[in-house]
Amino acid sequence: MVSSSTTEHILELLRQVPDPEIPTINLVELGVVRRVEEVNGQLKVIITPTYTGCPAKQLFVDLIREQLTASGYPDVAIEMQLYPVWSTDWLSEETKTKLLKTGISPPVAQNAPVVCPHCGSKETKVVSQFGATPCQALYTCSSCREPFSYFKCH
Ligand SMILES: [Zn+2]
């Protein structure tokens, strides 16, 4: 018999798994881990990759599997749910603030200016659509002239 405290415990364990690309953010904060549920005694972790072409997709599964196995939950199923598609709207304000402190400009609505994480200027321009990872674009700030990454998935 699985109690709701077990699913809560698993969620807690997954909060300790950092995103491979942005280690200051964990997989639950990032919204990759959607929920933990129990169906007919089978525990399941439902995940949504940050975007379908994200090369970290399999890595998320491996990291979750590793953490759960190490914590005594080797039988938990990991299910990929592609719809609704991951959206940066799932990031909380707190998570966006953390991104900013990491030097990564958090996602903004389409056509809104990308803000420089160093000085807060909106005078920024894209240098390359592909930054440190495919999920990030490389920008430069016209005010402080510092380059920075923009988290661009959707
Ligand atoms: Zn700046």
Short mmCIF file of all heavy atoms in Angstrom, two decimals, residues 21 51 55 104 126-140 147-153:
data_model
loop_
_atom_site.label_atom_id
_atom_site.label_comp_id
_atom_site.label_asym_id
_atom_site.label_seq_id
_atom_site.Cartn_x
_atom_site.Cartn_y
_atom_site.Cartn_z
N GLU A 21 21.84 21.38 -17.23
CA GLU A 21 22.33 22.57 -17.92
C GLU A 21 22.42 23.79 -17.00
O GLU A 21 23.26 24.66 -17.17
CB GLU A 21 21.42 22.90 -19.10
CG GLU A 21 21.44 21.79 -20.14
CD GLU A 21 20.58 22.10 -21.34
OE1 GLU A 21 19.78 23.05 -21.29
OE2 GLU A 21 20.71 21.38 -22.33
N TYR A 51 11.84 20.83 -24.18
CA TYR A 51 11.22 20.88 -25.50
C TYR A 51 11.56 19.58 -26.22
O TYR A 51 12.55 18.93 -25.88
CB TYR A 51 11.57 22.13 -26.31
CG TYR A 51 12.96 22.28 -26.85
CD1 TYR A 51 13.21 22.08 -28.20
CD2 TYR A 51 14.00 22.67 -26.02
CE1 TYR A 51 14.49 22.26 -28.71
CE2 TYR A 51 15.28 22.85 -26.53
CZ TYR A 51 15.52 22.64 -27.88
OH TYR A 51 16.77 22.81 -28.37
N PRO A 55 18.20 17.77 -26.22
CA PRO A 55 19.08 16.59 -26.09
C PRO A 55 19.17 16.09 -24.65
O PRO A 55 19.63 14.98 -24.41
CB PRO A 55 20.43 17.10 -26.60
CG PRO A 55 20.36 18.59 -26.55
CD PRO A 55 18.92 18.97 -26.62
N ILE A 104 21.71 34.04 -16.27
CA ILE A 104 20.91 33.63 -17.42
C ILE A 104 19.63 34.45 -17.41
O ILE A 104 18.94 34.51 -16.40
CB ILE A 104 20.58 32.12 -17.35
CG1 ILE A 104 21.87 31.30 -17.43
CG2 ILE A 104 19.61 31.73 -18.47
CD1 ILE A 104 21.68 29.84 -17.13
N VAL A 126 20.73 39.75 -29.93
CA VAL A 126 21.12 38.35 -30.05
C VAL A 126 22.41 38.24 -30.86
O VAL A 126 22.61 38.94 -31.85
CB VAL A 126 19.96 37.51 -30.67
CG1 VAL A 126 19.68 37.94 -32.10
CG2 VAL A 126 20.26 36.03 -30.59
N VAL A 127 23.32 37.40 -30.38
CA VAL A 127 24.59 37.16 -31.07
C VAL A 127 24.50 35.85 -31.83
O VAL A 127 24.91 35.73 -32.97
CB VAL A 127 25.76 37.10 -30.07
CG1 VAL A 127 27.06 36.72 -30.77
CG2 VAL A 127 25.92 38.42 -29.34
N SER A 128 23.92 34.85 -31.16
CA SER A 128 23.78 33.54 -31.76
C SER A 128 22.55 32.87 -31.19
O SER A 128 22.28 32.97 -29.99
CB SER A 128 25.03 32.70 -31.46
OG SER A 128 24.75 31.35 -31.72
N GLN A 129 21.80 32.19 -32.04
CA GLN A 129 20.60 31.48 -31.56
C GLN A 129 20.98 30.29 -30.69
O GLN A 129 20.17 29.76 -29.95
CB GLN A 129 19.73 31.02 -32.73
CG GLN A 129 18.81 32.11 -33.28
CD GLN A 129 17.88 32.72 -32.24
OE1 GLN A 129 17.45 32.07 -31.30
NE2 GLN A 129 17.56 34.00 -32.40
N PHE A 130 22.25 29.86 -30.80
CA PHE A 130 22.68 28.74 -29.99
C PHE A 130 23.82 29.16 -29.07
O PHE A 130 24.89 29.54 -29.52
CB PHE A 130 23.08 27.54 -30.86
CG PHE A 130 21.88 26.96 -31.55
CD1 PHE A 130 21.55 27.35 -32.83
CD2 PHE A 130 21.06 26.06 -30.89
CE1 PHE A 130 20.40 26.85 -33.46
CE2 PHE A 130 19.92 25.55 -31.51
CZ PHE A 130 19.59 25.94 -32.79
N GLY A 131 23.54 29.11 -27.77
CA GLY A 131 24.53 29.49 -26.78
C GLY A 131 25.23 28.27 -26.24
O GLY A 131 25.56 27.34 -26.98
N ALA A 132 25.44 28.26 -24.91
CA ALA A 132 26.16 27.18 -24.25
C ALA A 132 25.47 25.83 -24.49
O ALA A 132 26.10 24.79 -24.58
CB ALA A 132 26.26 27.46 -22.76
N THR A 133 24.16 25.85 -24.62
CA THR A 133 23.39 24.65 -24.89
C THR A 133 22.31 25.02 -25.92
O THR A 133 22.03 26.20 -26.10
CB THR A 133 22.68 24.13 -23.62
OG1 THR A 133 21.56 24.97 -23.38
CG2 THR A 133 23.58 24.13 -22.40
N PRO A 134 21.71 24.03 -26.57
CA PRO A 134 20.67 24.35 -27.56
C PRO A 134 19.47 25.08 -26.95
O PRO A 134 18.70 25.70 -27.67
CB PRO A 134 20.26 22.98 -28.10
CG PRO A 134 21.40 22.08 -27.78
CD PRO A 134 22.00 22.61 -26.52
N CYS A 135 19.30 24.99 -25.63
CA CYS A 135 18.17 25.65 -24.98
C CYS A 135 18.46 27.12 -24.70
O CYS A 135 17.61 27.84 -24.21
CB CYS A 135 17.83 24.97 -23.66
SG CYS A 135 17.14 23.34 -23.87
N GLN A 136 19.68 27.55 -24.95
CA GLN A 136 20.04 28.93 -24.65
C GLN A 136 20.52 29.64 -25.90
O GLN A 136 21.11 29.04 -26.77
CB GLN A 136 21.14 28.96 -23.57
CG GLN A 136 20.66 28.43 -22.23
CD GLN A 136 21.81 28.18 -21.27
OE1 GLN A 136 22.90 28.73 -21.42
NE2 GLN A 136 21.58 27.33 -20.29
N ALA A 137 20.25 30.93 -25.96
CA ALA A 137 20.77 31.75 -27.04
C ALA A 137 21.79 32.70 -26.43
O ALA A 137 21.73 33.02 -25.25
CB ALA A 137 19.64 32.55 -27.69
N LEU A 138 22.74 33.12 -27.25
CA LEU A 138 23.77 34.02 -26.76
C LEU A 138 23.40 35.46 -27.11
O LEU A 138 23.12 35.76 -28.26
CB LEU A 138 25.11 33.63 -27.37
CG LEU A 138 26.34 34.23 -26.72
CD1 LEU A 138 26.48 33.74 -25.28
CD2 LEU A 138 27.58 33.83 -27.51
N TYR A 139 23.40 36.31 -26.08
CA TYR A 139 23.05 37.72 -26.26
C TYR A 139 24.22 38.59 -25.82
O TYR A 139 25.11 38.14 -25.10
CB TYR A 139 21.83 38.07 -25.40
CG TYR A 139 20.51 37.85 -26.10
CD1 TYR A 139 20.06 36.55 -26.35
CD2 TYR A 139 19.73 38.92 -26.51
CE1 TYR A 139 18.85 36.34 -27.00
CE2 TYR A 139 18.51 38.71 -27.16
CZ TYR A 139 18.08 37.42 -27.40
OH TYR A 139 16.89 37.22 -28.04
N THR A 140 24.15 39.82 -26.22
CA THR A 140 25.11 40.78 -25.69
C THR A 140 24.34 42.03 -25.30
O THR A 140 23.30 42.35 -25.89
CB THR A 140 26.24 41.08 -26.71
OG1 THR A 140 27.13 42.00 -26.11
CG2 THR A 140 25.70 41.66 -27.99
N PRO A 147 28.37 39.77 -22.38
CA PRO A 147 27.56 38.74 -23.04
C PRO A 147 26.76 37.96 -21.98
O PRO A 147 27.16 37.94 -20.80
CB PRO A 147 28.61 37.83 -23.67
CG PRO A 147 29.82 38.00 -22.82
CD PRO A 147 29.76 39.37 -22.22
N PHE A 148 25.66 37.40 -22.35
CA PHE A 148 24.90 36.55 -21.42
C PHE A 148 24.06 35.55 -22.17
O PHE A 148 23.89 35.65 -23.39
CB PHE A 148 24.02 37.40 -20.49
CG PHE A 148 22.92 38.18 -21.18
CD1 PHE A 148 21.65 37.64 -21.33
CD2 PHE A 148 23.17 39.46 -21.71
CE1 PHE A 148 20.65 38.36 -21.98
CE2 PHE A 148 22.18 40.16 -22.36
CZ PHE A 148 20.91 39.61 -22.49
N SER A 149 23.59 34.55 -21.44
CA SER A 149 22.75 33.52 -22.05
C SER A 149 21.29 33.83 -21.80
O SER A 149 20.92 34.34 -20.75
CB SER A 149 23.06 32.15 -21.41
OG SER A 149 24.35 31.74 -21.76
N TYR A 150 20.49 33.53 -22.78
CA TYR A 150 19.05 33.70 -22.64
C TYR A 150 18.41 32.34 -22.75
O TYR A 150 18.70 31.58 -23.68
CB TYR A 150 18.52 34.65 -23.72
CG TYR A 150 17.01 34.69 -23.82
CD1 TYR A 150 16.24 35.12 -22.73
CD2 TYR A 150 16.35 34.28 -24.97
CE1 TYR A 150 14.86 35.14 -22.80
CE2 TYR A 150 14.96 34.31 -25.06
CZ TYR A 150 14.22 34.74 -23.96
OH TYR A 150 12.85 34.75 -24.04
N PHE A 151 17.57 32.00 -21.77
CA PHE A 151 16.90 30.71 -21.73
C PHE A 151 15.72 30.79 -22.67
O PHE A 151 14.73 31.46 -22.39
CB PHE A 151 16.44 30.46 -20.29
CG PHE A 151 16.04 29.06 -20.00
CD1 PHE A 151 17.00 28.10 -19.76
CD2 PHE A 151 14.70 28.71 -19.96
CE1 PHE A 151 16.62 26.80 -19.47
CE2 PHE A 151 14.34 27.40 -19.68
CZ PHE A 151 15.30 26.45 -19.43
N LYS A 152 15.81 30.14 -23.83
CA LYS A 152 14.86 30.50 -24.88
C LYS A 152 13.73 29.52 -25.18
O LYS A 152 12.89 29.82 -26.00
CB LYS A 152 15.64 30.76 -26.16
CG LYS A 152 16.20 29.47 -26.73
CD LYS A 152 16.83 29.68 -28.09
CE LYS A 152 17.36 28.36 -28.60
NZ LYS A 152 18.08 28.45 -29.85
N CYS A 153 13.75 28.34 -24.55
CA CYS A 153 12.71 27.36 -24.89
C CYS A 153 11.33 27.98 -24.76
O CYS A 153 10.89 28.24 -23.65
CB CYS A 153 12.77 26.14 -24.00
SG CYS A 153 14.37 25.39 -23.93
#
